[in-house]
Amino acid sequence: MKLALLSVVILSIWTCVKGDEHDHNYQNQEEVVLWMNTVGPYHNRQETYNYFSLPFCKGEKTTISHYHESLADAIQGVELEFSGLDIAFKVNKPSAKVCEMDVNEENFQSLKYAVDNHYWYQMYIDDLPIWGIVGEVDQSKDYYIWTHKKFEIGYNDNQIVDVNLTSETKAKLTVGSKMMFTYEVTWKPSTTLFSKRYDKYLDPNFFQHRIHWFSIFNSFMMVIFLVGLVSMILMRTLRKDYARYSKEDDLDDMERDLGDEYGWKQVHGDVFRSASYPLLFSSLVGSGYQLAVVGFLVIVMSIIGDLYTERGSILTTSIFVYAATAPVNGYFGGSLYSRQSGKGWIKQMLFSTALFPSMICGTAFLINFVAIYYRASRAIPFTSMLSVAAICLFVILPLNLVGTVLGRNMAGTPDYPCRINTVPRPIPEKK
């Protein structure tokens, strides 16, 4: 009886679950959200502002079932605001009124400036980007605003696979006039697969070429062969030198001075000497290892998982992969610092943890200050800054500590192939 009751409850919950842009599955007549993102000059894509910074008005619909924003959206300056347009899945919408606006002097100057600078805007439907132009100016210097938006949405089964926007109905921009903004929605079946819906946004001239895998594999194997051959030659040449350098403790000063040393061999006892600033050096090496691992993993994930199909997914993946690979930084940086006889390993661990994030955050702070001054959408919200700080304090720092402890215990003992001179060899004067 209990099992049957539990099955009924689970089934009822399952039937009540609705899809949305989070899982990209919709039911008939379900709400489809049109997000308004940014607006800015076409010739400077980095200069963007909030869509409603221009005197555009929202639709009559004021409530929404869900919101959709991630940490990467906030960092990248994506400011999604609900358009207020009533759009339902597979429901055609004839031309309907959005709002009516009185053009006063302030609105006229704002829209005139936008048309003069070729302002364009961006919107999203089910994570698919849409672009449109604000208006245009004719040869007689009359300004016009596009007031009608026609959406053609393609669907395959219960998923949206294509979105097109057509701007229609030019209205002359004059002070004291009234502008009526309208929209319509047309749904059309499509044979495009959901996994292929982003193909039209890719560069066709680049992706139409066939990849010659055999040539790539052949070149890769040739490089490996040449690297191995050169390594074998070097090892055979330097093997005797390594053996002699490792036994230098048994030689007297006369034998060392009479050794067959020339060129770079004269400084073999100074190569592995501790750096002048071991804390900075080991932190840079550890951060370099971590960034190399992060770059490799993100590239592999992008190839396997098609991260470009989700807005901000590459940046989100990079942030969390960087946080997860913090032990790599601690291991290589901490072990190198220990091999160089460093004493303040806690200070090195803290410095290594904060080195790269502080550089990025410092640069972002300066850019953010400029963005706030100009009221641009690139300004990062304070809550997003707190989220990044929390990741650094509660994720990256503990993992870096774990990596540092492992590095000191497992690879912190010096194991150099030759003896290190107690006194640095003097550099001969140039003749």
Side-chain angles (χ1 to χ4, degrees), residues 73-85:
D73 289 339
I75 294 177
Q76 291 179 326
V78 177
E79 293 188 1
L80 301 181
E81 290 197 32
F82 180 45
S83 62
L85 303 186

Side-chain angles (χ1 to χ4, degrees), residues 22-38:
H22 293 84
D23 59 7
H24 306 289
N25 291 309
Y26 295 87
Q27 297 179 3
N28 291 340
Q29 300 182 0
E30 186 180 347
E31 176 188 46
V32 177
V33 181
L34 173 64
W35 296 103
M36 317 306 288
N37 185 20
T38 55

Side-chain angles (χ1 to χ4, degrees), residues 93-201:
K93 184 82 172 181
S95 181
K97 175 183 175 182
V98 177
C99 62
E100 192 172 1
M101 181 184 68
D102 294 326
V103 182
N104 54 28
E105 182 64 27
E106 182 180 358
N107 295 342
F108 174 80
Q109 294 298 332
S110 298
L111 293 174
K112 179 177 178 295
Y113 180 83
V115 174
D116 284 333
N117 290 274
H118 304 93
Y119 267 40
W120 63 285
Y121 54 85
Q122 185 184 48
M123 303 178 292
Y124 284 98
I125 290 182
D126 195 53
D127 284 343
L128 291 175
I130 318 167
W131 297 275
I133 197 73
V134 173
E136 64 179 27
V137 57
D138 60 10
Q139 296 180 352
S140 59
K141 299 300 181 181
D142 291 330
Y143 292 84
Y144 295 90
I145 303 297
W146 298 102
T147 59
H148 182 73
K149 294 180 176 64
K150 182 179 180 181
F151 298 95
E152 293 184 357
I153 306 176
Y155 65 91
N156 188 345
D157 195 13
N158 62 341
Q159 294 177 318
I160 297 175
V161 295
D162 186 31
V163 179
N164 291 307
L165 170 66
T166 304
S167 298
E168 299 177 349
T169 311
K170 291 191 299 183
K172 189 174 181 180
L173 182 62
T174 56
V175 178
S177 63
K178 288 188 177 182
M179 284 189 177
M180 180 180 294
F181 292 90
T182 57
Y183 78 103
E184 65 176 295
V185 181
T186 303
W187 293 85
K188 296 182 178 180
S190 175
T191 58
T192 303
L193 298 177
F194 180 79
S195 59
K196 302 293 184 181
R197 67 175 189 163
Y198 274 90
D199 287 356
K200 76 171 188 177
Y201 299 102

